[in-house]
């Protein structure tokens, strides 16, 4: 990861090479299927965040959006973790 003030952050991802052939995936007969998951969308441009939030919500996703890194985008995970761990109790 490289960060430069005023220019942004660059992430370099390295994936292992594999020798196996890809498994063919059948295309669905319908259009794009929607989701029921929650998505965290973070960008520093409000217009980009709003546009993509609308697109994702139309597909059925619940979108939490952030444009200000000082708002701690990861804080939205706390209720999920509390809910998950409380459901483990009997």
């Amino acid at each position: 990861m490289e960060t430069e003030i005023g220019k942004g952050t660059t992430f370099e991802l390295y994936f292992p090479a594999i020798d196996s052939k890809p498994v063919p995936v059948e295309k669905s007969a319908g259009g794009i299927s929607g989701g029921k998951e929650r998505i965290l969308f973070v960008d520093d441009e409000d217009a980009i965040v709003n546009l993509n939030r609308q697109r994702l919500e139309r597909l059925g996703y619940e979108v939490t959006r952030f444009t200000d890194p000082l708002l701690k985008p990861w804080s939205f995970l706390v209720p999920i973790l509390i809910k998950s761990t409380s459901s483990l109790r009997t």
Side-chain angles (χ1 to χ4, degrees):
M1 180 178 88
E2 292 180 27
T3 300
E4 192 171 334
I5 295 174
K7 290 194 175 184
T9 302
T10 302
F11 292 89
E12 292 184 21
L13 304 174
Y14 297 93
F15 298 98
I18 56 172
D19 293 329
S20 64
K21 294 181 181 178
V23 177
V25 177
E26 293 182 28
K27 293 184 179 181
S28 63
I32 298 173
S33 61
K36 304 266 187 251
E37 297 84 10
R38 174 186 269 187
I39 294 177
L40 171 63
F41 199 97
V42 182
D43 196 280
D44 60 347
E45 293 187 39
D46 200 45
I48 291 174
V49 172
N50 285 327
L51 175 66
N52 287 290
R53 177 191 52 82
Q54 291 171 2
R55 289 177 174 171
L56 292 165
E57 285 177 348
R58 280 190 219 127
L59 292 172
Y61 295 99
E62 181 182 342
V63 180
T64 301
R65 62 185 188 86
F66 287 95
T67 55
D68 185 350
L70 298 177
L71 294 177
K72 301 177 183 172
W74 57 88
S75 65
F76 97 104
L77 292 172
V78 173
I80 296 172
L81 294 174
I82 292 170
K83 182 179 178 183
S84 297
T85 55
S86 65
S87 65
L88 295 175
R89 297 182 192 136
T90 56

